[in-house]
Amino acid sequence: MIYLDNAATSFEKPNIVKQAVNEALEKYTANPGRSAHNHSIDVAIKVFEARERVKQFFNAESEERVVFTPNCTTALNYTIFGSIKEGGHVITTAFEHNSVLRPLFELQRQRKIDLTILYPDKDGYFLPESFEKSIKKNTYMIIVNHISNVTGTIQKIGEIGAICKKYNLLYIVDAAQSAGHKKIDMQADNIDILCFAGHKGTFGICGSGAMVCSNKVILKPHMFGGTGAFSAEVLPQVTFPESFECGTVSTIPIISLSEGINYVANNFGAIQQKLDTLTDYLIEKIENLPIQKLYYKNNCHGVLSFNFENIDSGYVGDILNEKYDICVRTGLHCAPLVHQYFDTIEQGAVRVSIGYFNSKEDIDALYDALTDIYKSSAIKKY
Amino acid sequence: MIYLDNAATSFEKPNIVKQAVNEALEKYTANPGRSAHNHSIDVAIKVFEARERVKQFFNAESEERVVFTPNCTTALNYTIFGSIKEGGHVITTAFEHNSVLRPLFELQRQRKIDLTILYPDKDGYFLPESFEKSIKKNTYMIIVNHISNVTGTIQKIGEIGAICKKYNLLYIVDAAQSAGHKKIDMQADNIDILCFAGHKGTFGICGSGAMVCSNKVILKPHMFGGTGAFSAEVLPQVTFPESFECGTVSTIPIISLSEGINYVANNFGAIQQKLDTLTDYLIEKIENLPIQKLYYKNNCHGVLSFNFENIDSGYVGDILNEKYDICVRTGLHCAPLVHQYFDTIEQGAVRVSIGYFNSKEDIDALYDALTDIYKSSAIKKY
């Protein structure tokens, strides 16, 4: 099997992550919480260690503001619904995932917010000046994805952050595709809330993710329940991280993320170099094929999408899967505005996404398979 | 270690659950989803199998209406926020957990609902007739916990369900403490939405839970994002389970719950008998001690709480932990109205909760430790 679907989740997890899950299954299955027994405290210590590692990796301001969530979508929902300013204005981009677009469109539908969606320049960038030009009196938030899950475009999050700082806007970065792949420094980039999935570039298992907030962020909880704190009050004050982690936390997914992010931190130079090299190699190879590009050659990292003429992307994906055991993802990738922009809303696109455990040989195999497919009678029949 | 904190989570998981997690770490780490590659479909099949098992175990109406959530609190939030009828009236009980009370009180604070909280009779029951008497013209929902996480009282959920059916009210059962311990038949009991934690009586790992809906339930999503369906639409129609499982689902926790519930289904007779026997034995022993009871001798299952005179519950818990390596949970157990009712809001209580892997010897050890503690100078000093 050749796995090129890392943007959905990283298939292979480092051994250290698997070992940590196994250890946790034996030792860390109690429920963490305050004023409790040793076995519970043992788990609470592991969860706190996870907060410290996440804080350090992204240069966040404090461990308490690392909120663990079951996935990036939950983190983004908590962020968007928790920070609503009714009658306010939000700026985002056409390259966002549905986990950003759908909450924002829902708020727009409820007439709670006004929304501006920016479109990219010829290199796939959303320019800082285009954000600046769109700012209105009632703008309170800018949300940007760091790396697109369709095109692999990388946004200049530091420059956009500087605009947010200048205008005192809440700045949200969706790092689903970039966390663990690209350096993110929350303080240097002026990021107020960073949302990421734990099971992609940071090698946790599915069920892990986080919302990391700066100290200045004021957020209303989107869900309510037991937090282990203020148990006597039915309408307690908001505290980080408890108010945003109500109910039993996903201890084993959190522990897996903790080990995964530690692994990434210890191998970050090699990971970045590998992804840079493989992205370049992938582009070099794939550009030999007669494809429609859903990516920007000079602004691409780890992910890209393409089509052969008007051939349904799912059809190409199925052949790659069945005949070559190559895993890619086809369709719309939950990012409808990207596909509207490229006029591929019907066709979708074939998405290739690489990870640290891929090799040049994987890309060669993909290239050979795509060449075969394009030349084959299979595609002629279509 | 003697683990008597099963109401927080079951510490020991059956080997079959651990094996399933191990297998999943190697084989089922792709992201499930539609129109995808074999490895993704393999995971989707496992997730669907989990839905079938949950459906069957609780006699739900359809697999599609089994919505996996990261915990019971999320299931209850989805239920309560998703079913709001503004200006409507909800009836619940003083024995609910904060995962029910806090969302309801938040809605009351927002003046969206009117709330009635019932108090128990002398045996800890919330009588069907007391619900019936509280029904108003605008009542739309009744929420009841099946087994209290403090007192272990069991409610007659079928009888309350009959009232809900008669008055066409939405009927929600919080089965956090009962799922896997007591038989629940959603159709016979007229339950519209059953919420449970996967990591307690059903032996999944933390990070698993579910909201199981009847076919008649109409619910608005509380979170929005990618669902793998209707990707082209930013305001898609509501579908089960996709609209309530947006983002990447917690595959390994779901697989663990699937194996756990299968284990429970295959051993249900033995589990019920063991819990009945151990509950009786626990009560028999503990009643020899000079305690304040936060339970009802003739209406108790698996969980009970108590205090020694005015001694802080945390203090007793600490001694049990440090001197005897016995794990219990002390404090308020996220159920403030129970403690208001028993006038233990300051003191909290010592909670003992048993599971299938406990033995009479565990209870003997607890009894001996408590006898020791009560007689010891430690407690005299207090």
Side-chain angles (χ1 to χ4, degrees), chain B residues 300-312:
Chain B
C300 182
H301 192 80
V303 188
L304 58 75
S305 301
F306 66 90
N307 277 315
F308 283 135
E309 296 163 10
N310 66 339
I311 296 163
D312 183 78

Side-chain angles (χ1 to χ4, degrees), chain A residues 147-164:
Chain A
I147 295 186
S148 160
N149 74 315
V150 180
T151 62
T153 44
I154 317 161
Q155 300 307 322
K156 294 172 178 167
I157 54 169
E159 292 182 21
I160 303 166
I163 299 288
C164 292

Side-chain angles (χ1 to χ4, degrees), chain B residues 159-344:
Chain B
E159 292 182 21
I160 303 166
I163 300 287
C164 292
K165 191 178 181 187
K166 183 175 164 191
Y167 292 91
N168 196 26
L169 305 177
L170 200 64
Y171 182 37
I172 318 300
V173 172
D174 171 3
Q177 296 305 330
S178 61
H181 284 186
K182 275 278 170 197
K183 187 170 164 56
I184 298 171
D185 181 323
M186 284 186 69
Q187 295 188 58
D189 295 340
N190 289 306
I191 299 169
D192 289 309
I193 308 183
L194 184 80
C195 298
F196 71 99
H199 57 93
K200 298 183 178 182
T202 49
F203 294 123
I205 62 173
C206 292
S208 60
M211 169 179 79
V212 190
C213 299
S214 74
N215 288 342
K216 83 166 206 222
V217 168
I218 295 168
L219 215 58
K220 281 177 289 190
H222 190 53
M223 297 221 281
F224 302 84
T227 56
F230 307 107
S231 294
E233 295 164 46
V234 287
L235 291 171
Q237 66 182 94
V238 174
T239 54
F240 278 91
E242 293 86 358
S243 298
F244 303 92
E245 291 181 352
C246 53
T248 298
V249 295
S250 301
T251 50
I252 290 183
I254 290 170
I255 289 169
S256 76
L257 168 56
S258 179
E259 290 308 316
I261 219 160
N262 197 37
Y263 175 86
V264 172
N266 291 334
N267 296 278
F268 203 34
I271 290 172
Q272 290 184 93
Q273 197 178 13
K274 179 87 166 273
L275 288 169
D276 284 344
T277 307
L278 287 185
T279 302
D280 289 348
Y281 190 65
L282 173 62
I283 291 174
E284 184 194 317
K285 295 291 280 188
I286 211 154
E287 296 229 326
N288 292 319
L289 293 165
I291 53 165
Q292 178 200 357
K293 299 187 213 174
L294 282 83
Y295 64 88
Y296 303 85
K297 189 177 173 177
N298 297 317
N299 178 16
C300 182
H301 192 80
V303 188
L304 58 75
S305 301
F306 66 90
N307 277 315
F308 283 135
E309 296 163 10
N310 66 339
I311 296 163
D312 183 78
S313 63
Y315 182 72
V316 177
D318 286 350
I319 302 174
L320 282 173
N321 175 42
E322 285 162 24
K323 194 164 169 198
Y324 303 93
D325 200 10
I326 294 177
C327 305
V328 297
R329 184 81 40 162
T330 61
L332 300 179
H333 318 100
C334 299
L337 301 189
V338 186
H339 286 280
Q340 272 181 18
Y341 181 73
F342 285 102
D343 198 18
T344 48

